[in-house]
Amino acid sequence: MRAMVCTRYGPPEVLELQQLNKPVPKAGEILIKVHASTVTAGDCEIRSFKFPVLLWIPLRLFFGLRKPRVNVLGQEFAGEVEAIGSGQTLFKKGDRVYGATGLKLGAYAEYLCLSGSSAIARIPEAISFEEAANIPTGGMNALFFLRKAKIHAGQKVLVIGAGGSIGTVAVQLAKHAGAEVTAIDSKEKLDMLLSIGADHVLDYRQEDFAATGESYDVIFDVAGKSPFTKTVNALTPKGIYLMGNPGLSQMFRRLWPTKKGSRKIIAGAASYNAQDLRELNKLLAEGKLRPVVDQVFPLEQLQEAHRYVESGAKKGNVVIANQLQFSELKQFIGVNESAKNG
């Protein structure tokens, strides 16, 4: 099978198209023919190994010292079940499925084996492979944090860094819960954020949310880049600050005494599981969760896709398609752009 192999840590050029052996499902596993995967900021971090200094040694030991121990990256996928291992009863051959691989990675290949009990769900009938692939990791991360905040109707929610894979789902989940949502990102992403339900949008380059005088019941900083004190001060007295991907300085600051009163500061990491994905899948099937696809690249152009994601320009998600021909890719992108602009 074809796969994009990460030959060492470094820039996108370390990704090479190679021929690998097609995997065979073990007991309890399913073999998935991968039609689509994605490029997330996390994929780029693993490839380039740009992690905080204090995490460098433990993560290097985990992922591999000189090069990634698992050399086919990619954390989420959509495809079709081609074969099943003995004892696996949750899925059958021909099922259209999507899900997250977790730290097993491996989605940048034509085939992938996973346990049937992994974070996998059947794709709703009206959803394409390319749309389904961008839901799992961003969706389960957004669900993890917003569930911690117990968002409900009438609350005011601020999502900082709302234009990426996690933020676009967070905006929609908060709106589904009945909250009034303000989304912050670059000017180029604001129209898209309004189209998926944001009530208010702010261009972070032009407007300082702390200077507006608004207070929020929940602030979700997706990228972990907002100044700590400014963010805490923009909370209501019983507000909740959700720290997504916080830097070390932010993690230390949350332990220091502050004037935060009864405000809560929550950090953590999502666990990818089938139950959470099924919850997202129900919203997806009902049309209450809308996938946001920016661009679709063929597998052979994974280097270019990684460069685009690292530029910070992506709106929502960047999809890697294994099975579409170039003419079909252009058609899909055109349809998606029309939907976003409409």
Side-chain angles (χ1 to χ4, degrees):
M1 68 173 183
R2 298 183 312 153
M4 290 296 288
V5 174
C6 186
T7 58
R8 64 185 188 281
Y9 299 115
E13 287 72 23
V14 303
L15 299 167
E16 295 182 0
L17 186 65
Q18 296 184 11
Q19 289 287 335
L20 302 180
N21 292 329
K22 181 178 175 181
V24 176
K26 300 176 183 177
E29 290 187 336
I30 57 176
L31 173 66
I32 301 160
K33 184 177 183 180
V34 178
H35 287 255
S37 56
T38 69
V39 178
T40 66
D43 295 312
C44 295
E45 287 177 341
I46 295 172
R47 186 214 74 234
S48 61
F49 210 83
K50 292 181 179 179
F51 293 106
V53 174
L54 292 181
L55 297 178
W56 198 93
I57 292 178
L59 288 178
R60 200 77 162 195
L61 290 173
F62 179 84
F63 284 113
L65 291 174
R66 295 184 177 181
K67 59 183 181 180
R69 186 174 291 110
V70 179
N71 59 10
V72 178
L73 308 182
Q75 301 179 63
E76 54 191 348
F77 65 90
E80 185 177 353
V81 177
E82 181 161 302
I84 60 174
S86 61
Q88 195 291 128
T89 59
L90 296 173
F91 299 96
K92 64 181 184 301
K93 184 177 180 180
D95 281 348
R96 297 170 72 244
V97 296
Y98 72 116
T101 65
L103 293 177
K104 184 175 181 179
L105 305 175
Y108 295 157
E110 290 183 306
Y111 292 91
L112 170 68
C113 277
L114 287 175
S115 167
S117 61
S118 300
I120 304 172
R122 291 179 178 85
I123 301 173
E125 186 175 345
I127 303 298
S128 70
F129 291 119
E130 293 73 31
E131 291 171 316
N134 67 68
I135 293 295
T137 58
M140 284 188 281
N141 275 281
L143 183 63
F144 167 81
F145 282 102
L146 297 191
R147 187 185 282 153
K148 293 282 187 182
K150 299 179 181 178
I151 292 173
H152 55 80
Q155 287 189 312
K156 295 174 68 174
V157 175
L158 177 68
V159 182
I160 304 173
S165 58
I166 298 175
T168 50
V169 177
V171 167
Q172 295 180 78
L173 292 180
K175 281 298 297 179
H176 179 65
E180 178 183 335
V181 180
T182 299
I184 298 179
D185 215 298
S186 60
K187 178 181 178 181
E188 296 78 13
K189 304 180 186 181
L190 301 187
D191 286 343
M192 177 271 291
L193 290 167
L194 288 169
S195 77
I196 61 172
D199 297 289
H200 315 285
V201 291
L202 296 174
D203 175 4
Y204 75 89
R205 297 190 185 103
Q206 301 294 326
E207 300 175 88
D208 182 355
F209 72 89
T212 65
E214 294 284 348
S215 295
Y216 300 92
D217 299 292
V218 178
I219 297 179
F220 182 16
D221 181 10
V222 175
K225 295 182 179 179
S226 182
F228 182 88
T229 301
K230 181 172 75 172
T231 305
V232 170
N233 289 341
L235 289 169
T236 57
K238 294 184 179 180
I240 298 175
Y241 176 14
L242 302 172
M243 301 175 69
N245 196 30
L248 287 176
S249 62
Q250 287 179 308
M251 291 298 290
F252 285 127
R253 285 297 304 274
R254 68 187 286 258
L255 302 176
W256 296 352
T258 68
K259 296 180 180 180
K260 61 180 181 292
S262 59
R263 299 172 177 127
K264 294 182 180 179
I265 302 172
I266 297 174
S271 60
Y272 301 153
N273 60 77
Q275 182 176 346
D276 286 351
L277 188 59
R278 283 196 294 269
E279 184 173 338
L280 293 166
N281 197 46
K282 184 174 185 294
L283 296 175
L284 186 63
E286 294 172 350
K288 296 174 181 177
L289 178 59
R290 174 180 159 190
V292 179
V293 179
D294 183 350
Q295 292 196 43
V296 183
F297 293 82
L299 182 64
E300 296 85 351
Q301 294 181 16
L302 184 62
Q303 291 182 8
E304 183 180 344
H306 270 241
R307 280 191 287 269
Y308 180 62
V309 170
E310 288 184 316
S311 75
K314 79 177 177 76
K315 302 173 186 177
N317 300 269
V318 167
V319 173
I320 304 301
N322 287 357
Q323 308 299 327
L324 292 178
Q325 299 298 318
F326 184 68
S327 59
E328 293 173 303
L329 283 172
K330 290 197 296 182
Q331 182 181 14
F332 177 80
I333 294 169
V335 170
N336 193 261
E337 284 297 322
S338 297
K340 287 191 291 184
N341 294 335

